[in-house]
Amino acid sequence: TRATGRERESDEGCVEPCTMAKLGQGDARWIVDEREDGTNVHGWHWAEKDVGGWAKERLQELLGDQEVLRGEGGCWLRIDQMHVFRGDAFINQRKGKFIPGYELEVALQWTGEIKGRGDDPQTGVATASGEIKIPYIGDENHDEDSEIQVTVYQNGPVETRLREAMLAKGIPVLQKGIRTFHQEMWSGKPINANGAVKKAAAPSPKKNEGQVEGEAQKNANELERKKEEEASEFRTIKLRENFHARPKDIYDAYLDENRVKAFTQSNASISKEVGGEFSLFNGSIVGKQVELVPCERIVQKWRFSNWPQDHYSTVTITITEKEPGNTQLRLVQTEVPVADQFGNESVLETTERGWKEQVWNRIRAVFGYGI
């Protein structure tokens, strides 16, 4: 005889009735208690944390304010403060695992000196300075060295010698710091045991610091707890596309109203001012301009008309010219809802396909920017 859901088979092979456990008397190993504090225990539920602040501080620690040479070969080299930090960094946590997503661009200043003529090391000092640019630090290249560009502000024999020294000695130092950053992102280091975002470095001990930090951590945990209820309902889209065009061509394709009407073949209204609104595809897509850096960066609040009411994603478009006439566009779209207001759970797929087929492929076809 086959046992039913309310019967069990005894050791003798007989079927016996199986009774349900009374409330509060079940096997403790199988009981999941409701938590009044709303904590995402062991990171089981999907949660997306913005760790951009942590990433900025940590990269400054790993890359900036360090000496590269102290007289070796007659050269003194130093990497100074990081003065450019752009991009986004997130860590998705689910079932105790960390899945990072980050695309960052950083730049630092560097300075150098060549000292000494004859026996006096303090005479004949020649100096040079320049910029170190790292155009892409991302999760996609976490297992390879990053591209690092070293430039000087003036050209000359001294500048050339110091630049070559920075290329030879400074780049390995920077690559080591970047590798450490990758490892920490993939290990979930920015997230502490409570699921809150850490600070990159603890401040030096001060009076009553424990009380201040304890209160700050409590407030941070409460904020994260409130956000966590919404985090499982949203996703992040990251895409990259190449065009045979100059950065201005791609920038104008997004912000010139006539061009937008041309490639969408529909009504469009585009503001070129920060805070201004836009509408695409006869009102199917609407939003607001948040940040506009000509030929480099576009940040928008962006939504489909059928998304949950008043909910906007954030679209960040970064435009980089890898070489003359070859421009790369990187898109990060955060807070994309899993489902629209009607419960259809195809939003992520529809949005990704729309960027590729309805925007980028059409821009290529209409303006001849194809690869």
Side-chain angles (χ1 to χ4, degrees):
T1 304
R2 178 174 295 177
T4 66
R6 293 184 176 273
E7 298 172 333
R8 66 181 182 188
E9 187 172 335
S10 68
D11 294 339
E12 291 79 16
C14 300
V15 175
E16 300 175 351
C18 182
T19 59
M20 299 293 290
K22 294 181 180 179
L23 183 64
Q25 295 182 356
D27 188 332
R29 294 173 298 175
W30 297 93
I31 296 176
V32 179
D33 294 326
E34 292 186 4
R35 293 184 61 104
E36 295 181 359
D37 61 3
T39 301
N40 185 359
V41 182
H42 303 311
W44 182 260
H45 302 293
W46 184 284
E48 182 179 270
K49 303 295 177 65
D50 184 346
V51 297
W54 181 94
K56 182 178 181 180
E57 293 179 13
R58 188 61 177 138
L59 283 171
Q60 170 59 38
E61 287 182 350
L62 292 170
L63 307 181
D65 287 332
Q66 57 180 318
E67 292 183 336
V68 177
L69 290 178
R70 297 191 64 183
E72 295 91 333
C75 297
W76 279 256
L77 285 176
R78 177 178 176 80
I79 300 172
D80 297 319
Q81 288 276 343
M82 183 173 69
H83 66 279
V84 173
F85 177 90
R86 298 193 187 100
D88 300 282
F90 297 88
I91 287 187
N92 297 302
Q93 185 179 10
R94 187 165 187 259
K95 296 184 179 180
K97 296 181 179 179
F98 300 103
I99 306 172
Y102 52 101
E103 291 189 334
L104 304 170
E105 175 188 355
V106 302
L108 308 99
Q109 303 283 353
W110 69 270
T111 56
E113 295 181 345
I114 299 176
K115 297 180 181 179
R117 285 181 181 173
D119 297 328
D120 185 359
Q122 297 302 317
T123 62
V125 176
T127 64
S129 60
E131 184 181 54
I132 298 170
K133 187 173 182 180
I134 309 173
Y136 185 71
I137 300 175
D139 56 276
E140 294 184 358
N141 71 347
H142 71 278
D143 56 352
E144 59 188 50
D145 286 344
S146 296
E147 175 188 357
I148 299 178
Q149 303 166 359
V150 179
T151 59
V152 291
Y153 294 137
Q154 293 183 347
N155 292 318
V158 171
E159 288 81 0
T160 299
R161 179 179 170 186
L162 289 170
R163 177 179 177 273
E164 290 175 351
M166 181 61 75
L167 289 170
K169 301 296 184 180
I171 285 184
V173 173
L174 293 167
Q175 296 288 13
K176 181 180 179 181
I178 295 170
R179 285 194 293 269
T180 298
F181 177 79
H182 285 309
Q183 292 166 2
E184 292 177 352
M185 285 291 292
W186 283 87
S187 67
K189 186 174 180 179
I191 307 298
N192 65 20
N194 296 323
V197 179
K198 294 179 182 177
K199 289 189 175 181
S204 56
K206 297 178 183 177
K207 257 188 173 180
N208 300 323
E209 184 183 5
Q211 295 177 352
V212 174
E213 286 190 351
E215 187 65 27
Q217 186 63 61
K218 181 179 178 182
N219 294 337
N221 289 343
E222 177 64 18
L223 181 62
E224 290 298 323
R225 183 188 72 79
K226 291 179 180 179
K227 288 182 177 179
E228 213 156 53
E229 294 178 354
E230 301 177 354
S232 62
E233 301 175 4
F234 307 109
R235 298 291 183 267
T236 296
I237 293 174
K238 294 169 55 178
L239 299 170
R240 188 183 303 184
E241 201 74 15
N242 293 310
F243 297 90
H244 278 330
R246 306 305 297 264
K248 186 178 186 303
D249 297 327
I250 303 305
Y251 186 83
D252 288 345
Y254 274 89
L255 291 176
D256 184 277
E257 187 172 299
N258 290 328
R259 289 177 181 247
V260 174
K261 288 179 179 178
F263 78 77
T264 62
Q265 294 294 296
S266 62
N267 289 330
S269 174
I270 308 294
S271 171
K272 295 183 179 181
E273 302 295 329
V274 172
E277 297 181 347
F278 63 86
S279 172
L280 306 172
F281 294 102
N282 299 317
S284 294
I285 297 170
V286 295
K288 183 177 292 187
Q289 311 289 11
V290 175
E291 180 184 352
L292 299 173
V293 181
C295 307
E296 293 183 11
R297 182 176 169 89
I298 301 170
V299 182
Q300 301 171 325
K301 289 297 182 183
W302 191 104
R303 63 174 268 115
F304 273 114
S305 59
N306 65 350
W307 281 7
Q309 187 174 5
D310 298 326
H311 176 78
Y312 286 81
S313 66
T314 299
V315 171
T316 301
I317 295 170
T318 305
I319 303 169
T320 306
E321 189 171 32
K322 295 297 184 180
E323 57 186 32
N326 184 2
T327 296
Q328 184 178 88
L329 180 151
R330 296 200 303 271
L331 178 143
V332 177
Q333 185 171 10
T334 61
E335 296 295 301
V336 179
V338 172
D340 62 22
Q341 61 181 309
F342 306 109
N344 300 315
E345 296 188 352
S346 60
V347 171
L348 198 68
E349 178 184 354
T350 300
T351 306
E352 286 190 4
R353 188 173 65 247
W355 284 116
K356 295 176 182 178
E357 297 178 3
Q358 303 301 319
V359 178
W360 297 334
N361 286 353
R362 290 188 177 197
I363 287 175
R364 285 196 184 91
V366 172
F367 304 123
Y369 300 156
I371 294 298

